[in-house]
Amino acid sequence: MDILRSYINCIPDVVFLVKYEIKPSVLRDIKNSLENQDKYYDINDAIVLGKPDLIIRRLIDHHLTKMEHLHKFKLLENEIIHFKHITVSKDEAKDIKDIIERVKKHGKSKSYEEKIEKG
C-alpha cells in the first residue's frame, strides 16, 4: 500500500482527475484512506503492484460505491417466485411430496421463526 500511496502522490492531482475522470472529492477520499490504511483496508502483503492502473480503478470503484444502511431485514413475501414456474412429471412430483413430508415431520425451529419475526 505504501507503493500505491507513493505512486498516487507522485501524479499531479489535475492529471489524476483527468486521467481517471473523477471528482476532486473522490481523490481526496482515496488519499485520506491511503494515509489511514489500517482503518480502511484489510492489507494482504502478498499483493503485487504489477498493474497500478487496474488497482487504482478498483480503488476508485470502491470509493464511488454508495453504502446503504439497513435497520432490519425484511421478510420475503413474493420477491422470489422462480420456484413457482417449475414443471415436473407425476413421478417426480410424488418424490418431491414425499421429501416435503419427511422435512415437515422433522419440525421447524420455533426459536428461528421467533427471531425473524422480532427482526
Side-chain angles (χ1 to χ4, degrees):
M1 291 300 270
D2 292 334
I3 296 171
L4 181 61
R5 183 176 61 234
S6 297
Y7 179 79
I8 290 173
N9 286 333
C10 80
I11 301 171
D13 287 357
V14 174
V15 173
F16 195 93
L17 296 171
V18 171
K19 180 176 181 175
Y20 294 104
E21 299 176 350
I22 60 171
K23 294 180 181 180
S25 61
V26 175
L27 178 57
R28 198 170 32 255
D29 289 346
I30 289 171
K31 286 185 173 188
N32 180 43
S33 71
L34 290 171
E35 291 300 323
N36 301 297
Q37 55 189 313
D38 293 337
K39 180 179 177 183
Y40 292 96
Y41 305 106
D42 182 17
I43 300 169
N44 180 349
D45 291 334
I47 295 174
V48 177
L49 186 63
K51 297 182 179 179
D53 277 338
L54 176 63
I55 294 170
I56 290 171
R57 293 255 181 230
R58 288 188 179 167
L59 195 58
I60 290 168
D61 289 343
H62 174 73
H63 282 274
L64 291 175
T65 302
K66 300 290 182 202
M67 298 297 288
E68 183 178 340
H69 297 283
L70 302 174
H71 298 288
K72 64 179 183 175
F73 286 103
K74 176 186 176 286
L75 287 176
L76 295 178
E77 293 169 359
N78 287 321
E79 287 83 358
I80 302 174
I81 60 167
H82 60 271
F83 59 87
K84 292 182 179 182
H85 304 287
I86 297 174
T87 305
V88 294
S89 69
K90 286 184 180 183
D91 292 336
E92 290 172 324
K94 183 183 178 315
D95 292 342
I96 291 171
K97 285 180 183 179
D98 291 343
I99 292 170
I100 291 170
E101 289 306 315
R102 281 188 284 175
V103 170
K104 282 182 178 179
K105 286 180 184 176
H106 255 267
K108 295 180 181 178
S109 170
K110 297 284 185 197
S111 63
Y112 179 73
E113 287 178 350
E114 289 172 3
K115 287 179 185 177
I116 290 175
E117 287 176 5
K118 288 179 184 176

